[in-house]
Amino acid sequence: MNGAVREWLDERVPLADLVGALRHKTVPHHRYSVWYYFGGVTLFLFGIQVGTGALLLLYYRPSAAEAYESVQFVVTRVPFGWLVRSIHAWSANLMVAGAFAHLFSVLFLHAYRRPRELTWVSGMLLLLLTLAFGFTGYLLPWNEVSFFATRVGTDIVATAPLVGDFLVRFMRGGADVTGATLTRLFGFHVAILPAIATALVAFHLLLVQRHGMSVPPSVEQRANGDPSAVRQMPFLPHFLLRDLFAWTAVLVVLAGLSTFYPWELGTKADPFAPAPAGIRPEWYFLWAFQTLKYVPPSVVGLNGEFVAAAAMGAGALGAVLLPFLLRGTPRARRAVVWVGLGVLGFMAVMTSLALTEGAP
Amino acid sequence: MKRQPWWRLTPTAIALIATTGGARAQSPEEAATTAFRDDVHAAAGVTCASCHTGREGRYDPLPRTAIAPLCARCHSDAAYMRQFDPQVRVDQFLQYQTSAHGRRMAEGEPRVATCSDCHRAHGVRRVRDARSPVAPINVATTCARCHGDPARMTPFGRDAAPPADWSAGVHAAALVERGDTSAPTCSSCHGSHGATPPGVTSAANVCAQCHLREAELFRASPKKEIFDAIGEAECLVCHGNHRIEAPVDSGVGVQDGAVCAPCHDDAGDSGATIRSVREGLDRLSGAVATADAILTRAERAGMLVDAGRIALREAREHQVQSRVLVHAFAGTPFTEAATQGVAAARRAQDTGEAAMRDLQVRRRGLAVATLLVLAFLITLGFKIRRLPDFH
């Protein structure tokens, strides 16, 4: 029976070719191989987000009058609704953490080098998309904290000269954060961003398959500059089973977090109430939020917040275009490591300062 | 009241200004001029000469007994006052003449309060201006300047304790600490311009301005007739007057310290009613506390118990209602409200217990799932170790 089904499928779908290709595919095996798994973990969490997000869509209602109540209904009345919502929220945070870990591991292992420039660019765009997913999804439960955090977050865009007012109106669907903003961000969160992300993920994976895993320069040197001399691990089954092991471990962590620390719903947003104390964005935006606090109101005659936001934007653009800005010299690679460590340290310090200030 | 130009100052005054940087003490006339600049009268076009005789720079002070009649010249003239505010009242002087202050002043006693003592002489502000000494939040402080000063009160045979007593009560807490301007201050019970202590028979009417339901229940109860017969001042017997503390359930009872104890003992129908009311109050308080505790535990564990919180709010409303119904001094309406409150609290407790059971199910489910996944992980680990060596 099994053989008949396989034969039937083989006649119509080139499965044998695909399996054959995977059987011949190999992955470099060296002391830094463990970092290869973060890409897979991020992809796994993206899959969980798609699955749990689709389930939440069955009940979620994107309007200011019903959004909070619909999430409340999901977590209190729908069987396992609490678990689905909690997994969606926790998985989003783990996905951002996984994407950052993947980014810095690729950066420090210099995997952005020729011919993988476009893999790096598509990966960076995926990271920015992940942050956009976080920003647009944060408002959807329409609770007090997310409402005011979104107001603060979109206010920063308003500081841009000339186009600031247009941009903030475009993001909010009006002058202030209202039900129109919720509907708009919902559209971005469930339609526009997933469409772009799916296309980019496909492109990213295609390039990874095309070029294979990058071998770090230090490993290459030990192999006398010949990447093919580096030990190779078969993708099927060796690497895939290890990937599966990592995904299962992440699943255990995710289930534990969702059960023992269910994501809070908070109180419903009241646009007419004063902003409560301790409003702050999600942890992955905290470093930027804290940086803006230290920026003076005016810098060289321009709005200080705008200057800081523009500098961060320029930094992000530089990061996206990194492979095209660097020479392939060992000195340039060393500079990348130091700059990367500096950025990582700055983000860690700013985040811890924000957490310490916000602590009761 | 005009300030001297600098070229007319004496050498001594110039030396004083030079040595003190100009920060010399103001003369009474200068202080009055400065205060008058921010006065509602100045804004309305009233000048120094409107009230004072004399000439500019040296106006005569007014005798205290003449102040109220002087203010009344304008403030009792409806036609004149209407041009500033068509709604303004013009009966203040009439009321003042009926007050303890006004009657004594009319007898020639200048130490009692007149208009300027409460409103200030210069720098008068509207009552709704929070900086006014007669704004609701400042009234008690203004009255206490005299009524809290034993040196001023003793000659009149008055106790100086009421302001301090009021400050220790629930009304002061509501007004001063919570900023609730609907909470009563001195003038709410005693009146302002017609200030006088309410008599024994009218004290309950004063309380009933706000505590209407309690007053209705009391008046319909057998207590009303008894209190009238023995000349007791209704509310004040149990709650006191100035130092009104938050009522507590333990005040109902015949034990030492309870408010019923001075008149009642454990015997007879009244003793049984008091016991039954107290038991009802305690049962309801206990049910509310138990429900609140379990709902709080469930919430801390991440469970949503909004239905329980709504039921608990209902229980608390019944608790407030049953505490009010104590003023009927009978078992029936109270018992009904207390029973409904206990039932609502039980519903809240049930919600909390269901949430805790649900939490246990979740955790057990997770434990089983985790064991299965761990077993899968271990199997996977073994499988990976047994894979053929790719080296």
Side-chain angles (χ1 to χ4, degrees):
Chain A
M1 183 65 192
N2 225 359
V5 171
R6 183 177 289 181
E7 202 176 312
W8 188 89
L9 271 175
D10 271 347
E11 201 179 333
R12 286 155 183 84
V13 186
L15 274 181
D17 296 350
L18 185 65
V19 174
L22 289 176
R23 280 194 195 286
H24 288 101
K25 180 179 163 59
T26 58
V27 177
H29 185 72
H30 47 79
R31 59 196 291 203
Y32 304 117
S33 291
V34 68
W35 295 104
Y36 290 149
Y37 297 101
F38 280 95
V41 163
T42 311
L43 181 65
F44 171 67
L45 289 167
F46 179 70
I48 286 184
Q49 287 305 89
V50 173
T52 51
L55 289 174
L56 289 173
L57 266 180
L58 298 177
Y59 291 95
Y60 181 73
R61 295 182 179 182
S63 73
E66 294 178 299
Y68 181 86
E69 284 75 9
S70 65
V71 179
Q72 200 172 38
F73 182 80
V74 166
V75 295
T76 53
R77 300 277 181 271
V78 178
F80 294 102
W82 63 272
L83 186 63
V84 173
R85 195 239 164 187
S86 212
I87 285 181
H88 192 75
W90 273 114
S91 172
N93 284 276
L94 292 184
M95 185 178 153
V96 173
F100 269 111
H102 186 45
L103 161 80
F104 281 103
S105 63
V106 167
L107 183 76
F108 293 143
L109 296 176
H110 308 288
Y112 50 79
R113 291 166 301 145
R114 187 184 170 197
R116 296 183 179 80
E117 295 95 333
L118 291 181
T119 319
W120 166 268
V121 171
S122 59
M124 276 301 298
L125 293 178
L126 277 169
L127 174 73
L128 295 176
L129 272 180
T130 306
L131 297 179
F133 267 118
F135 185 78
T136 52
Y138 196 43
L139 181 68
L140 299 191
W142 198 247
N143 59 27
E144 196 179 44
V145 179
S146 68
F147 175 83
F148 287 103
T150 304
R151 186 185 271 176
V152 173
T154 45
D155 271 344
I156 295 167
V157 180
T159 59
L162 302 176
V163 292
D165 189 53
F166 166 76
L167 283 178
V168 81
R169 279 178 176 274
F170 174 73
M171 288 174 77
R172 290 176 172 176
D176 204 349
V177 176
T178 60
T181 319
L182 177 73
T183 313
R184 189 161 288 213
L185 294 191
F186 172 74
F188 279 115
H189 191 76
V190 304
I192 297 169
L193 294 180
I196 302 171
T198 307
L200 268 177
V201 165
F203 181 63
H204 192 73
L205 289 177
L206 182 75
L207 292 179
V208 170
Q209 294 310 310
R210 173 71 182 81
H211 299 300
M213 301 293 200
S214 161
V215 178
S218 59
V219 177
E220 252 181 35
Q221 274 172 9
R222 279 195 206 98
N224 297 322
D226 179 13
S228 61
V230 177
R231 284 190 302 169
Q232 298 289 318
M233 175 196 281
F235 179 81
L236 210 65
H238 293 72
F239 188 80
L240 188 64
L241 285 182
R242 283 171 170 79
D243 241 353
L244 189 61
F245 190 91
W247 296 358
T248 314
V250 169
L251 191 64
V252 173
V253 172
L254 197 53
L257 287 171
S258 304
T259 307
F260 288 102
Y261 304 98
W263 206 261
E264 281 186 18
L265 181 54
T267 51
K268 187 177 178 176
D270 177 2
F272 300 108
I279 285 295
R280 60 183 189 198
E282 290 277 54
W283 62 270
Y284 40 87
F285 290 123
L286 274 181
W287 65 273
F289 178 68
Q290 189 69 14
T291 306
L292 291 176
K293 285 188 186 174
Y294 297 125
V295 175
S298 176
V299 178
V300 292
L302 289 168
N303 183 304
E305 275 194 9
F306 166 71
V307 173
M312 288 179 211
L317 184 65
V320 171
L321 300 176
L322 180 78
F324 305 107
L325 302 174
L326 277 181
R327 284 189 225 156
T329 60
R331 195 174 163 186
R333 286 201 292 272
R334 273 199 299 279
V336 164
V337 171
W338 284 113
V339 171
L341 283 174
V343 170
L344 199 57
F346 176 77
M347 289 167 81
V349 169
M350 285 295 161
T351 305
S352 61
L353 279 174
L355 291 172
T356 318
E357 272 184 21
Chain B
M1 293 217 275
K2 199 173 170 185
R3 200 168 184 166
Q4 292 282 343
W6 66 269
W7 62 85
R8 286 193 185 170
L9 293 173
T10 60
T12 315
I14 292 171
L16 183 68
I17 292 169
T19 52
T20 60
R24 65 188 172 84
Q26 287 185 317
S27 71
E29 284 179 345
E30 286 171 335
T33 305
T34 307
F36 192 67
R37 284 192 198 116
D38 193 18
D39 187 303
V40 284
H41 297 106
V46 176
T47 64
C48 310
S50 307
C51 302
H52 294 277
T53 56
R55 60 183 174 77
E56 190 172 343
R58 189 171 293 280
Y59 286 108
D60 302 324
L62 288 164
R64 284 182 61 76
T65 49
I67 292 174
L70 176 72
C71 297
R73 265 181 22 211
C74 298
H75 283 274
S76 296
D77 183 345
Y80 176 76
M81 293 303 293
R82 202 178 297 132
Q83 60 184 316
F84 303 107
D85 181 355
Q87 302 286 328
V88 75
R89 53 187 290 196
V90 288
D91 64 338
Q92 297 98 323
F93 185 56
L94 279 175
Q95 290 219 13
Y96 177 71
Q97 286 171 309
T98 68
S99 73
H101 296 138
R103 286 201 309 271
R104 284 180 187 267
M105 187 66 84
E107 288 163 8
E109 170 55 76
R111 290 175 296 174
V112 295
T114 186
C115 314
S116 56
D117 294 314
C118 302
H119 292 276
R120 292 192 194 126
H122 305 98
V124 177
R125 292 193 167 99
R126 290 182 184 280
V127 176
R128 61 173 175 264
D129 186 334
R131 295 169 299 173
S132 165
V134 289
I137 196 126
N138 301 325
V139 164
T141 312
T142 301
C143 297
R145 278 180 17 227
C146 298
H147 286 274
D149 181 357
R152 289 185 190 226
M153 288 294 104
T154 309
F156 294 98
R158 292 270 175 202
D159 182 10
D165 283 348
W166 177 85
S167 299
V170 283
H171 294 141
L175 180 65
V176 181
E177 289 168 22
R178 296 206 303 273
D180 178 358
T181 49
S182 68
T185 180
C186 313
S187 56
S188 313
C189 302
H190 295 281
S192 48
H193 301 99
T196 188
V200 164
T201 50
S202 60
N205 293 335
V206 171
C207 304
Q209 289 179 80
C210 301
H211 300 279
L212 191 61
R213 181 75 179 124
E214 287 87 339
E216 279 176 359
L217 288 164
F218 181 87
R219 284 167 192 164
S221 78
K223 283 272 186 295
K224 166 75 175 160
E225 205 177 318
I226 300 166
F227 275 40
D228 284 351
I230 60 175
E232 285 285 5
E234 303 186 3
C235 319
L236 277 54
V237 174
C238 301
H239 295 283
N241 51 1
H242 296 110
R243 192 188 183 110
I244 297 169
E245 292 174 355
V248 287
D249 292 346
S250 58
V252 178
V254 291
Q255 76 283 7
D256 284 345
V259 293
C260 313
C263 305
H264 295 275
D265 58 22
D266 206 17
D269 289 347
S270 62
T273 304
I274 291 167
R275 267 202 316 279
S276 124
V277 168
R278 174 62 186 278
E279 281 165 14
L281 287 171
D282 288 349
R283 199 164 45 245
L284 182 50
S285 290
V288 166
T290 308
D292 191 27
I294 195 157
L295 288 176
T296 305
R297 267 178 58 211
E299 280 167 341
R300 281 185 187 156
M303 307 299 287
L304 271 185
V305 284
D306 285 20
R309 282 286 169 207
I310 290 168
L312 188 62
R313 202 177 308 143
E314 191 190 325
R316 287 204 167 108
E317 280 165 13
H318 283 299
Q319 191 176 30
V320 171
Q321 200 185 356
S322 60
R323 282 171 177 161
V324 170
L325 287 168
V326 168
H327 296 89
F329 302 101
T332 314
F334 167 82
T335 311
E336 201 176 313
T339 308
Q340 286 174 351
V342 169
R346 292 267 155 77
R347 282 205 308 280
Q349 188 181 340
D350 289 347
T351 307
E353 284 170 353
M356 293 307 288
R357 280 196 299 275
D358 197 17
L359 182 70
Q360 291 309 316
V361 170
R362 286 181 189 186
R363 287 181 176 168
R364 275 198 287 271
L366 175 80
V368 172
T370 307
L371 283 176
L372 290 174
V373 176
L374 281 176
F376 174 71
L377 265 182
I378 293 166
T379 313
L380 201 58
F382 275 118
K383 172 75 180 164
I384 290 169
R385 288 174 72 88
R386 287 183 172 200
L387 284 174
D389 190 2
F390 57 86
H391 298 149

